[in-house]
């Protein structure tokens, strides 16, 4: 009976070690192939390396423990605490528990790796430019006529958007603007508001001056969000300027045949926090571009209004299909 129990313990230790090594090999495969960029932002790579090494070492220790030989007087791999460290329950329960860990490893090796596409955009919505003045449909404030019971949600959102302003209104007794009945807190920030924000510093002013001197503004993975922010804030300064950008094609349901969006996913940590940013493009060639195709666009910046917002659009645009970039996502510069 003791031998069977020790054999069962060794078997479970071997399976657990194999699972840990499997996760380590999966991460190693993604790193070697370069497909890790589909799931993790570059700033998170040190944690991936640490996790990979840790899983591999712990997995080897577990496999080593499973191969140790014990005599009948040895309590095996127990810790002499008189507790049973095995997974409780019948065999099918143990198989189900291990399956939760084994299936992701199998899917990771079998399912092809690919970047997020327009199907995700439809669910999350798209932010034009830097998203400073526009929000995806899922993030819009509640419309008029909704039940009063939902006004508490609006107050919570108002507090999260700007805690200081919320508390100022609360102390002043201005409850009308807190429950969403007034547009004061619900409106988007103005340009002047952003000058007061901590993250807005002289860098963006200097970048605007630098871009204004260029004949053609080139948007890259590294400067994407910075340039989109500058265009939102100083749009008047860049009307008529030439801009080139790369993104995947996306269309809103109400678009004309000559309209599309050159879109990019922005990632801070991983795909779970990915947001979609896009630049409106107008060109007769747009009708021939299939959705999700990667395109290079060169056009002239024009101020247009879409869904009540002023935003930069590229008109008289030249569009050419290109291969997917090595880095399909863009990332905050944190400058």
């Amino acid at each position: 009976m003791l031998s069977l129990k020790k054999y069962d313990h060794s078997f479970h230790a071997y399976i657990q070690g194999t699972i840990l090594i499997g996760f380590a090999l999966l991460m190693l495969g993604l790193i070697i192939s370069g497909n890790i960029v589909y799931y993790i932002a570059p700033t998170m790579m040190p944690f991936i390396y640490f996790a990979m090494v840790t899983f591999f070492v712990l997995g080897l220790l577990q496999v080593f423990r499973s191969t140790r030989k014990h005599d009948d007087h040895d309590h095996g791999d127990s810790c002499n605490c008189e507790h049973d460290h095995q997974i409780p329950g019948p065999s099918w329960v143990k198989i189900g528990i291990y399956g939760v860990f084994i299936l992701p490893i199998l899917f990771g090796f079998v399912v092809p790796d690919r970047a997020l596409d327009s199907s995700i955009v439809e669910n999350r919505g798209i932010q034009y430019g830097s998203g400073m003045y526009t929000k995806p449909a899922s993030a819009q404030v509640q419309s008029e006529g909704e039940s009063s019971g939902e006004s508490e949600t609006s107050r919570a959102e108002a507090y999260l958007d700007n805690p200081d302003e919320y508390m100022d209104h609360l102390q002043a007794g201005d409850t009308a603007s807190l429950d969403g009945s007034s547009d004061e807190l619900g409106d988007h920030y103005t340009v002047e508001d952003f000058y007061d924000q901590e993250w807005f510093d002289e860098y963006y002013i200097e970048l605007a001056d630098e871009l204004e001197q260029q004949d053609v503004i080139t948007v890259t993975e590294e400067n994407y969000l910075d340039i989109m922010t500058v265009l939102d804030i100083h749009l008047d300064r860049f009307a008529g300027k030439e801009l080139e950008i790369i993104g995947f094609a996306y269309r809103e349901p109400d678009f004309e045949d000559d309209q599309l969006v050159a879109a990019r996913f922005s990632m801070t940590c991983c795909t779970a926090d990915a947001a979609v940013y896009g630049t409106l493009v107008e060109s007769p060639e747009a009708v021939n571009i299939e959705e999700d195709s990667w395109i290079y666009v060169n056009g002239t910046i024009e101020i247009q209004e879409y869904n009540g917002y002023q935003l930069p659009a590229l008109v008289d645009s030249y569009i050419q299909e290109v291969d997917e970039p090595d880095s399909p996502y863009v990332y905050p510069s944190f400058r």
Side-chain angles (χ1 to χ4, degrees):
M1 183 70 176
L2 181 59
S3 298
L4 290 176
K5 187 173 182 180
K6 288 190 295 184
Y7 174 79
D8 184 62
H9 182 92
S10 297
F11 175 75
H12 283 287
Y14 180 80
I15 294 296
Q16 293 163 6
T18 303
I19 290 174
L20 289 171
I21 293 175
F23 275 113
L25 293 177
L26 176 59
M27 286 186 280
L28 178 62
L30 290 172
I31 292 172
I32 293 175
S33 66
N35 292 339
I36 191 72
V37 298
Y38 292 138
Y39 308 102
I40 297 293
T43 54
M44 303 301 294
M45 287 306 298
F47 300 100
I48 294 298
Y49 290 127
F50 175 79
M52 180 183 66
V53 173
T54 302
F55 283 7
F56 189 74
V57 172
L58 292 179
L60 287 179
L61 290 175
Q62 281 293 87
V63 172
F64 175 74
R65 290 179 61 197
S66 70
T67 60
R68 291 174 56 189
K69 295 181 179 180
H70 309 277
D71 55 39
D72 291 339
H73 298 287
D74 191 357
H75 291 287
D77 288 320
S78 66
C79 60
N80 296 327
C81 62
E82 299 183 357
H83 291 292
D84 187 2
H85 295 280
Q86 304 304 313
I87 298 177
S91 298
W92 65 269
V93 172
K94 299 176 182 179
I95 293 174
I97 292 175
Y98 284 134
V100 171
F101 298 96
I102 295 174
L103 287 178
I105 298 176
L106 295 178
F107 285 139
F109 282 110
V110 174
V111 177
D113 301 303
R114 55 178 297 184
L116 300 175
D117 55 22
S118 59
S119 62
I120 307 298
V121 183
E122 294 175 358
N123 296 326
R124 299 191 181 185
I126 188 168
Q127 304 179 57
Y128 290 93
S130 66
M132 182 178 297
Y133 300 120
T134 62
K135 295 182 180 180
S138 60
Q140 295 291 349
V141 294
Q142 297 172 334
S143 60
E144 295 182 1
E146 290 183 325
S147 62
S148 59
E150 295 177 338
S151 64
E152 295 301 324
T153 303
S154 299
R155 294 189 182 190
E157 291 175 348
Y159 175 79
L160 292 175
D161 286 341
N162 194 325
D164 294 334
E165 187 174 352
Y166 181 94
M167 295 306 297
D168 290 342
H169 281 279
L170 190 63
Q171 293 173 1
D174 188 5
T175 58
S177 62
L178 300 179
D179 63 10
S181 59
S182 171
D183 290 336
E184 186 171 353
L185 287 180
D187 289 341
H188 296 288
Y189 290 119
T190 64
V191 173
E192 288 76 12
D193 291 328
F194 280 98
Y195 276 98
D196 295 331
Q197 299 301 311
E198 230 178 85
W199 59 266
F200 190 89
D201 54 22
E202 292 183 359
Y203 169 74
Y204 291 101
I205 300 176
E206 294 174 358
L207 180 58
D209 295 336
E210 178 184 333
L211 293 175
E212 198 171 19
Q213 302 303 316
Q214 299 179 6
D215 295 330
V216 179
I217 300 174
T218 301
V219 181
T220 65
E221 288 84 3
E222 292 77 17
N223 65 19
Y224 186 97
L225 292 176
D226 286 339
I227 290 183
M228 293 300 107
T229 301
V230 169
L231 292 181
D232 277 345
I233 299 172
H234 303 287
L235 183 54
D236 292 339
R237 295 174 60 180
F238 294 97
K241 294 283 291 185
E242 187 178 349
L243 181 141
E244 57 182 8
I245 191 171
I246 292 177
F248 66 89
Y250 172 74
R251 289 181 175 86
E252 297 275 21
D254 59 348
F255 273 12
E256 302 292 338
D257 291 339
D258 64 343
Q259 291 181 314
L260 57 76
V261 171
R264 297 297 289 263
F265 278 91
S266 171
M267 184 192 301
T268 303
C269 172
C270 59
T271 53
D273 64 24
V276 195
Y277 297 87
T279 302
L280 183 61
V281 177
E282 290 187 357
S283 171
E285 303 171 18
V287 68
N288 301 318
I289 303 297
E290 294 185 5
E291 203 162 78
D292 289 326
S293 300
W294 281 89
I295 55 175
Y296 163 84
V297 180
N298 183 293
T300 303
I301 300 174
E302 180 179 275
I303 303 175
Q304 291 194 5
E305 184 172 306
Y306 181 72
N307 286 343
Y309 299 104
Q310 278 196 342
L311 47 83
L314 297 182
V315 299
D316 301 326
S317 302
Y318 165 75
I319 304 176
Q320 180 182 356
E321 293 193 29
V322 296
D323 294 331
E324 179 182 307
D326 294 334
S327 178
Y329 307 137
V330 296
Y331 310 96
S333 63
F334 297 109
R335 284 181 288 190

